[in-house]
């Protein structure tokens, strides 16, 4: 894509990203996306699951991003609770997908 001098290690990539932080801002477009993730429209039954999945997605952000988007940095306990909750709700999903299209494809390709 025409780029040059790209970082080749995790450390140099991390340093490059950190060097861009002063240029970042929390504009209206990003604000509306965060608002949508935090207030995703759903029915009453799905709302807890949608909230959990949205929160788990937000927790993938690096710690330096939370002050930038005007949100508190999640604590270790909060991260652990969300991770355990995701793992718990994943059990029936994995079970339901055991015999799904992807599973059939994997068995067909890899025996």
């Amino acid at each position: 894509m025409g780029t040059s001098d790209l970082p080749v290690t995790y450390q140099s990539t991390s340093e490059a990203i950190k060097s861009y932080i002063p240029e970042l801002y929390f504009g209206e477009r990003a604000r509306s996306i965060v608002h949508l993730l935090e207030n995703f429209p759903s029915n009453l039954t799905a709302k807890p699951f949608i909230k959990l999945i949205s929160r788990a997605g937000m927790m993938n952000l690096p710690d330096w991003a939370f002050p930038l988007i005007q949100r508190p940095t999640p604590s270790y306990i909060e991260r652990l609770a969300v991770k355990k909750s995701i793992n718990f709700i994943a059990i029936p999903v994995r079970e339901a997908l055991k015999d799904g299209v992807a599973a059939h494809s994997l068995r067909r390709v890899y025996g």
Side-chain angles (χ1 to χ4, degrees):
M1 294 181 78
T3 60
S4 61
D5 300 322
L6 292 174
V8 295
T9 65
Y10 179 85
Q11 181 66 32
S12 60
T13 301
S14 181
E15 289 169 7
I17 290 171
K18 286 179 183 172
S19 75
Y20 304 138
I21 292 173
E23 300 175 39
L24 301 176
Y25 66 97
F26 189 44
E28 276 310 306
R29 186 171 183 186
R31 194 177 310 277
S32 68
I33 291 168
V34 169
H35 178 77
L36 176 63
L37 289 172
E38 291 178 340
N39 301 284
F40 196 83
S42 59
N43 64 38
L44 193 57
T45 307
K47 193 168 275 304
F49 300 106
I50 299 294
K51 284 273 191 199
L52 177 62
I53 290 167
S54 293
R55 189 68 187 139
M58 291 288 283
M59 286 190 181
N60 284 316
L61 293 172
D63 284 350
W64 57 260
F66 289 98
L68 187 66
I69 64 169
Q70 302 164 1
R71 300 295 184 278
T73 303
S75 69
Y76 171 77
I77 297 297
E78 184 178 2
R79 289 178 193 270
L80 184 62
V82 168
K83 181 179 180 179
K84 294 291 184 185
S85 298
I86 289 290
N87 288 342
F88 180 70
I89 67 167
I91 293 169
V93 173
R94 285 189 191 109
E95 190 61 34
L97 296 176
K98 241 184 208 176
D99 203 33
V101 173
H104 283 283
S105 296
L106 284 173
R107 282 193 298 272
R108 190 178 67 244
V109 172
Y110 298 107

